[in-house]
Amino acid sequence: MDAARRGDRDAFNELVRSTYRDIYALAYRLTGNRDDAADVVQDAYVRAYRAIRRFRGDSSFSTWMYRITSNCASTHLSRRTRQRTEELSDDVPIVDLRPEQDPSLRAEAAVLRHHIDRAIRALPERLRQVVVLRDLHDLSHSEIAEELGITTSAAKVRLHRARQRLRAVLQRTDGLGTNQAAPVNQEDHNEAAS
């Protein structure tokens, strides 16, 4: 870290190598698209490289990168929304990382992962961020609050709302993956944004 702050590119490259997988996973979860995730990751590391001398070390490099990546994803998604209106494809292949070799278990896991990923992508951005940071990257409520610039209480409330929303969506999904209820109404969306 100290060498990277002094401008050592090899040291910064080592930081990138050690965090890339987690940062890409976070970007993918926030964007729901491989190409967008790759763009977000590239942007995040460029921003980190330019700002590395100002990194105070109050948190770990990976935690600092989570925040930069979350901000880059938010910027990228808002830019994409302004530039195009087509929906994300539901045909994005889901990779099952479980080691089991049983094809039926792998197929079931892939279906479940697809439903969960789709439910997470359907969440409003503010709720999606806390779910990804807590449940996928195992950050504490206080770390989430720090990353998103909100209070710990707000992080807990958002996480609770996000999990309720996910539970409702997943309960409405039948075995064929079709949604059995109407989409969340605007009143619920406004409540989640608070």
Side-chain angles (χ1 to χ4, degrees):
M1 206 45 239
D2 291 335
R5 271 192 235 153
R6 289 192 304 270
D8 185 333
R9 286 187 180 185
D10 291 334
F12 186 80
N13 287 339
E14 184 57 36
L15 290 171
V16 171
R17 277 191 292 277
S18 68
T19 58
Y20 185 84
R21 195 170 93 182
D22 289 339
I23 297 306
Y24 179 83
L26 173 62
Y28 179 77
R29 293 288 182 180
L30 293 173
T31 63
N33 177 290
R34 288 181 179 163
D35 292 334
D36 289 340
D39 289 345
V40 166
V41 169
Q42 181 177 356
D43 190 27
Y45 280 118
V46 167
R47 287 187 192 183
Y49 183 76
R50 289 178 181 161
I52 192 75
R53 289 190 170 107
R54 295 189 307 269
F55 177 63
R56 296 186 312 259
D58 296 337
S59 61
S60 69
F61 179 76
S62 60
T63 301
W64 185 57
M65 282 303 304
Y66 288 157
R67 183 167 196 159
I68 293 172
T69 305
S70 294
N71 291 339
C72 289
S74 180
T75 301
H76 184 83
L77 289 172
S78 64
R79 189 177 332 128
R80 186 181 68 186
T81 301
R82 285 193 304 270
Q83 292 174 351
R84 60 185 192 207
T85 57
E86 72 267 10
E87 294 184 16
L88 292 174
S89 170
D90 288 335
D91 297 330
V92 174
I94 305 302
V95 178
D96 184 1
L97 300 176
R98 295 174 2 157
E100 289 88 351
Q101 296 300 315
D102 183 340
S104 64
L105 288 177
R106 290 172 46 180
E108 288 175 22
V111 168
L112 179 59
R113 182 179 294 270
H114 174 74
H115 291 313
I116 291 171
D117 284 348
R118 203 163 75 172
I120 289 172
R121 284 194 310 265
L123 288 172
E125 181 181 343
R126 298 173 78 170
L127 298 182
R128 184 172 57 243
Q129 287 176 327
V130 294
V131 166
V132 169
L133 292 174
R134 176 70 186 120
D135 294 336
L136 301 176
H137 292 280
D138 204 28
L139 295 186
S140 69
H141 292 108
S142 58
E143 290 172 322
I144 293 169
E146 180 183 336
E147 290 299 316
L148 299 179
I150 59 177
T151 66
T152 301
S153 296
K156 289 178 182 180
V157 168
R158 287 185 191 180
L159 183 60
H160 177 73
R161 288 179 180 167
R163 286 179 175 166
Q164 281 182 319
R165 192 76 72 83
L166 286 173
R167 190 176 299 116
V169 168
L170 292 172
Q171 286 174 346
R172 288 193 310 252
T173 304
D174 69 12
L176 299 174
T178 58
N179 202 332
Q180 299 299 307
V184 176
N185 65 33
Q186 186 63 37
E187 183 179 313
D188 289 343
H189 179 72
N190 291 341
E191 175 188 342
S194 60

